[in-house]
Amino acid sequence: MGSKAPRVRRTCLLEMPEGPSVRKFQLLTSRFVGQVVAKVGGSSKKINVNDLNALRLQDSQVHGKNLFLAFVAASSPLEPSVEETELQKEAATGSRSLVQGKQGQVCAPLTPTQEEELQELQNSRPGAPSAAGGPGSWLRFHFGLFGSVRANEFSRASRANKRGDWKDPIPRLVLYFESGGFLVFYNCRMHWCSSPVADPTSDILSAEFHRGRALDALCTSHPICYTLLDQRYFSGLGNIIKNEVLYLVKIHPLTQGSLLAQSDLEHLLDCAIQFTSDWLQSKLQGKGLHLQIYQKEQCPLGHVVMKGALGPPGGWKRLTWWCPQCQPAVLPGDGDLALGTE
């Protein structure tokens, strides 16, 4: 009787696309702006991938967790990509601090990202770009939990599946360009839309991010961990950022924002902005970030970490990690909130 192979516990982190990851995807795609699609492939059933044949990639933009690619007829004039220019400038000049009015270090060196904002795509349409390839033909990508983009390479299996087979991931879309390069999109949802659906004032990585509106949202009676994932105010901020930032500022995830002092809310917002910006720069430089609480059994001080699926009634429940000792829960009147896992 053969013995079973020992069960290996997965300790690696699958990095799930949040704002910084999608910004990096945008940089990968921007290198192909101006090039014509020579051949297509992929398993997508949401769009007819063959509709992209012989079209020119006109522009690449990112808004929160969504990537937008504009396609036009190959004969159309090429317009410059403002988004590419700005991102390349940021990468060249180093970390961009969006924190204002604060002295010293806002938060400690930090970590990576995940989440699952499966938002329904507004202004989307099932049709393909027009034969004329007008500038209104945008393809919108949402990367869900495990989506990714690769340039000039395919993803390879890092481990065997449940059957013991080593099968490479199947791409949803592959764009081969006349230059010889190619882009590969994995585990993403795609929809045609007339224009990018975007509000830069809600994008935490945008220079136009509206700090005042974000603070107003944080100071409501909703649990702070719900508000941080509200893409109306914090587009691009996801579950890993939420967990790490709340630990860094020592706030319990279910604390009502209205119970916190204005200075605490400002500190939280500063840390969220700085963390997200630092993470983007680390990605662009090929560096990793060290997680302190996300998917941990102990916090950096050695305390046992709690885990629960937390979310608004009727909404998405996000796995949340917190340290009851470092992040004590408080009810009105400074009462302690006893929580178990869900």
Side-chain angles (χ1 to χ4, degrees):
M1 182 174 179
S3 59
K4 286 186 176 181
R7 184 176 180 180
V8 178
R9 182 178 179 180
R10 277 181 55 201
T11 57
C12 62
L13 171 70
L14 286 175
E15 186 176 299
M16 303 181 185
E18 300 183 16
S21 297
V22 182
R23 291 257 170 170
K24 184 176 181 180
F25 298 162
Q26 191 275 338
L27 275 177
L28 290 176
T29 60
S30 69
R31 300 170 189 169
F32 295 87
V33 167
Q35 299 189 30
V36 175
V37 178
K39 187 175 70 170
V40 296
S43 64
S44 176
K45 299 294 188 283
K46 291 291 185 180
I47 66 169
N48 183 354
V49 297
N50 291 318
D51 289 329
L52 291 161
N53 259 322
L55 294 182
R56 183 190 302 278
L57 178 58
Q58 175 83 353
D59 196 5
S60 172
Q61 295 186 22
V62 61
H63 299 286
K65 298 177 185 178
N66 296 283
L67 175 69
F68 296 87
L69 300 183
F71 292 91
V72 298
S75 58
S76 298
L78 177 64
E79 298 177 1
S81 169
V82 176
E83 188 78 1
E84 175 190 5
T85 303
E86 290 303 316
L87 283 174
Q88 296 284 9
K89 188 183 299 182
E90 287 177 18
T93 57
S95 180
R96 170 175 57 106
S97 176
L98 299 179
V99 181
Q100 298 180 355
K102 293 283 182 181
Q103 297 295 326
Q105 185 177 2
V106 175
C107 53
L110 308 170
T111 61
T113 105
Q114 145 183 10
E115 171 193 336
E116 56 199 276
E117 297 293 335
L118 298 179
Q119 307 164 320
E120 283 307 314
L121 303 173
Q122 302 173 358
N123 293 347
S124 63
R125 56 185 173 84
S130 64
S137 298
W138 291 82
L139 192 56
R140 177 176 181 172
F141 296 80
H142 189 277
F143 296 93
L145 287 173
F146 307 107
S148 64
V149 179
R150 289 176 176 260
N152 300 325
E153 64 175 357
F154 290 93
S155 178
R156 300 302 181 190
S158 58
R159 59 184 178 276
N161 59 25
K162 293 180 180 179
R163 297 180 178 179
D165 300 323
W166 287 74
K167 291 187 176 181
D168 293 335
I170 299 175
R172 295 284 173 82
L173 176 66
V174 186
L175 298 176
Y176 299 92
F177 295 92
E178 290 183 345
S179 64
F182 60 93
L183 286 168
V184 192
F185 301 81
Y186 292 96
N187 295 313
C188 57
R189 303 199 314 172
M190 294 173 284
H191 293 258
W192 289 105
C193 60
S194 58
S195 63
V197 181
D199 177 8
T201 63
S202 69
D203 190 333
I204 195 167
L205 281 170
S206 171
E208 299 177 51
F209 178 66
H210 198 300
R211 181 185 179 89
R213 191 169 68 179
L215 282 171
D216 287 343
L218 288 172
C219 71
T220 65
S221 60
H222 298 298
I224 208 77
C225 70
Y226 301 178
T227 306
L228 284 174
L229 292 183
D230 191 331
Q231 301 298 290
R232 295 174 299 175
Y233 309 106
F234 298 96
S235 180
L237 192 154
N239 201 38
I240 291 181
I241 298 175
K242 175 203 77 178
N243 280 280
E244 292 295 308
V245 168
L246 286 176
Y247 177 75
L248 289 166
V249 297
K250 303 302 184 283
I251 293 176
H252 191 287
L254 288 180
T255 302
Q256 296 178 15
S258 56
L259 299 180
L260 296 172
Q262 183 70 16
S263 58
D264 291 332
L265 294 173
E266 291 180 356
H267 181 51
L268 170 61
L269 182 57
D270 287 340
C271 205
I273 294 171
Q274 190 67 60
F275 180 94
T276 310
S277 180
D278 288 347
W279 185 20
L280 171 61
Q281 295 306 321
S282 293
K283 279 187 164 296
L284 298 182
Q285 296 165 15
K287 300 177 181 178
L289 290 171
H290 175 65
L291 290 169
Q292 299 196 41
I293 196 74
Y294 182 76
Q295 293 190 338
K296 301 294 185 181
E297 295 183 355
Q298 293 184 336
C299 79
L301 298 181
H303 305 141
V304 175
V305 167
M306 300 288 289
K307 181 178 80 169
L310 308 179
W316 292 100
K317 308 299 181 185
R318 309 296 202 271
L319 283 177
T320 304
W321 287 260
W322 72 94
C323 173
Q325 295 190 53
C326 297
Q327 300 165 265
V330 178
L331 285 173
D334 293 330
D336 290 331
L337 178 62
L339 291 170
T341 59
E342 297 183 19

